[in-house]
Amino acid sequence: MMSTDEHHWATDYDIFDPTYIGDPFPIWDELREKCPIAHTDRHGGSWLPTRYQDVTAIARDVEHFSSQSISVLPPPDVPAEGGLLTAGLPPISSDPPVHTWSRRLLLPWFSPKQVDDFEPITRALCRRLVTGFIEDGRADAAADYAQQIPVRIIGIVLGVPEEHSDLFTGWVRDVLEFATDIPRRQKAVGELVTYFVTLMEERRGGDGTDLISELLRSEVDGEPVSDPHILGTVALTLIAGVDTTWSAIGSSLWHLATHPDDARRLATEPGLMPTAIEELLRAYSPVTMARIVNEDIEVAGCPMHAGDRVLLNFPGANRDPEQFPEPERVILDREANRHVAFGAGIHRCAGSNLARMELRVAIEEWLARIPEFRLADNAEVTWAGGQVRGPRTIPVVFPPARPV
């Protein structure tokens, strides 16, 4: 690629630039050496750390860096539906002490025991999806498979019909993938809010076992949890639980399609799966989060001011050679792997157990039926980026087989 001086990545980066979305790794490498915390005035202005030590330090410093606005873009003005959006997206957009109790309400839904209950459902779904295209000898590993899995599992958590999956997928993409299209983003948020407000009213006072019903019955310090808080938590569960995981699944399948030795090894050595999952998460971490500076502070020589936006570049941190030897290589049996694909500090992803399970099962079930596959000739692989980076199309071919 051209140098950072020619591209002005150090002083004028754009995380929505097609070059950045398509291949950000050399950009991070050069910034890490020449300007480890870059700055831009685009999209309201922000800082972009690229070193593991800086990203993790900022993520853990809740005193100086607030989570009140975690979007990589300043939030648009969206109709508040009677003020029901005022709580943000707790717990991810909350600072202590609200963060503490709001996270506690959510964690049981993503505990190891709960995730174990979801695994047979996820496995059956993956098998059904593969059966749908295995006779064709070709598929879009992103659209036909990866993108179909998390939205349906999150739908079960929320207690919504599977036939609404495409509706949810559209909202999530409009909020994250098309975030720079403000009218489109506003429309999606408004529709999402209306949908969940209606569900909350339908389930209020009921005995449902879904997350929405449980939150409506929850109390904190003897008081019911407010409707704005419940709405924000439900919206977060959908937005954070869908695109992030399908991007991780899609990126992993893209890697295996372009690295047949790794695919063959995983198919024949299932004992590698635990370390391989962590390595794929490290190498293709999808999520960048933001923080807002609470008060003037200097980080690695960069003077940040109150109100500045800082982009926690977890994917870049996971490619830092000071932390991970040969970070550009996917080493399926890498042992020392303290990656931050799920973040760091108190805001570390509450749904990490579920995401890991979905990624593992998706790969296991794909390789069980399609151990050999590659990108189709002249395949156009497209990527989305910004808040969440992942492939949107992955045309692959494989020997066709009879469904089972």
Side-chain angles (χ1 to χ4, degrees):
M1 71 168 257
M2 297 183 185
S3 72
T4 53
D5 290 337
E6 290 172 285
H7 266 282
H8 305 294
W9 294 112
T11 58
D12 188 32
Y13 67 82
D14 184 357
I15 64 172
F16 292 95
D17 184 283
T19 300
Y20 185 96
I21 293 173
D23 187 12
F25 309 119
I27 297 172
W28 296 335
D29 289 344
E30 191 162 347
L31 287 177
R32 213 177 281 115
E33 291 183 9
K34 297 183 176 180
C35 182
I37 300 183
H39 185 268
T40 188
D41 289 327
R42 295 175 184 267
H43 309 302
S46 61
W47 298 91
L48 182 74
T50 51
R51 297 187 303 196
Y52 184 94
Q53 64 180 21
D54 295 330
V55 172
T56 54
I58 293 170
R60 294 188 172 103
D61 186 353
V62 297
E63 179 182 354
H64 295 99
F65 298 93
S66 170
S67 296
Q68 290 294 326
S69 179
I70 47 84
S71 171
V72 296
L73 294 176
D77 294 326
V78 179
E81 297 293 333
L84 285 172
L85 292 181
T86 56
L89 300 172
I92 202 170
S93 64
S94 305
D95 294 324
V98 173
H99 170 271
T100 306
W101 61 258
S102 60
R103 182 179 174 89
R104 191 181 302 127
L105 291 175
L106 202 54
L107 283 176
W109 284 87
F110 304 107
S111 68
K113 181 182 183 303
Q114 184 68 59
V115 170
D116 286 344
D117 292 340
F118 287 134
E119 181 167 336
I121 301 170
T122 306
R123 200 171 291 281
L125 169 61
C126 291
R127 290 175 179 173
R128 173 161 56 91
L129 291 170
V130 172
T131 296
F133 51 70
I134 196 169
E135 286 187 294
D136 301 333
R138 63 177 56 247
D140 186 328
D144 297 336
Y145 190 67
Q147 294 171 25
Q148 303 300 319
I149 300 167
V151 68
R152 286 167 169 77
I153 302 305
I154 289 297
I156 294 171
V157 173
L158 298 173
V160 298
E162 182 173 318
E163 55 265 28
H164 289 183
S165 295
D166 289 344
L167 188 63
F168 289 167
T169 297
W171 288 336
V172 172
R173 293 188 67 183
D174 288 349
V175 170
L176 296 176
E177 182 178 343
F178 300 102
T180 55
D181 185 339
I182 301 302
R184 183 170 182 170
R185 186 179 174 191
Q186 288 177 326
K187 181 175 182 291
V189 173
E191 291 175 354
L192 182 153
V193 166
T194 300
Y195 181 93
F196 284 120
V197 167
T198 301
L199 281 187
M200 288 166 59
E201 290 307 313
E202 291 175 353
R203 296 178 187 180
R204 195 183 306 277
D207 57 359
T209 58
D210 57 274
L211 174 61
I212 298 172
S213 298
E214 292 281 1
L215 289 174
L216 286 167
R217 292 193 293 267
S218 297
E219 294 184 351
V220 176
D221 296 330
E223 296 293 331
V225 179
S226 72
D227 280 4
H229 190 103
I230 293 172
L231 176 63
T233 298
V234 171
L236 169 68
T237 302
L238 175 65
I239 295 170
V242 172
D243 195 351
T244 55
T245 308
W246 87 40
S247 292
I249 296 171
S251 296
S252 298
L253 290 173
W254 172 83
H255 174 85
L256 296 175
T258 55
H259 296 78
D261 289 344
D262 282 349
R264 195 171 302 114
R265 192 177 177 200
L266 261 188
T268 58
E269 300 179 51
L272 276 177
M273 195 61 71
T275 56
I277 292 301
E278 299 308 311
E279 178 68 344
L280 291 166
L281 284 167
R282 178 198 68 81
Y284 302 106
S285 306
V287 181
T288 297
M289 301 297 288
R291 296 290 186 269
I292 302 298
V293 179
N294 273 334
E295 58 185 58
D296 291 1
I297 187 174
E298 185 172 298
V299 179
C302 294
M304 300 180 182
H305 302 290
D308 285 359
R309 187 174 301 270
V310 183
L311 307 188
L312 291 182
N313 183 12
F314 294 118
N318 282 337
R319 292 283 185 136
D320 187 345
E322 291 296 316
Q323 181 70 22
F324 304 98
E326 298 183 276
E328 74 287 351
R329 287 186 57 211
V330 172
I331 303 172
L332 297 180
D333 55 0
R334 187 187 293 268
E335 293 185 2
N337 194 352
R338 297 185 63 183
H339 68 75
V340 286
F342 294 113
I346 66 171
H347 287 284
R348 189 180 179 279
C349 176
S352 60
N353 292 323
L354 181 62
R356 277 192 172 97
M357 182 276 288
E358 291 177 281
L359 175 58
R360 172 177 56 81
V361 170
I363 294 175
E364 286 174 346
E365 292 302 325
W366 179 284
L367 291 177
R369 307 277 297 282
I370 309 174
E372 296 184 11
F373 63 106
R374 62 174 176 82
L375 293 181
D377 294 338
N378 302 315
E380 182 180 356
V381 178
T382 59
W383 295 76
Q387 192 94 44
V388 182
R389 180 180 182 269
R392 286 294 175 264
T393 57
I394 314 173
V396 297
V397 293
F398 45 83
R402 294 184 60 83
V404 296

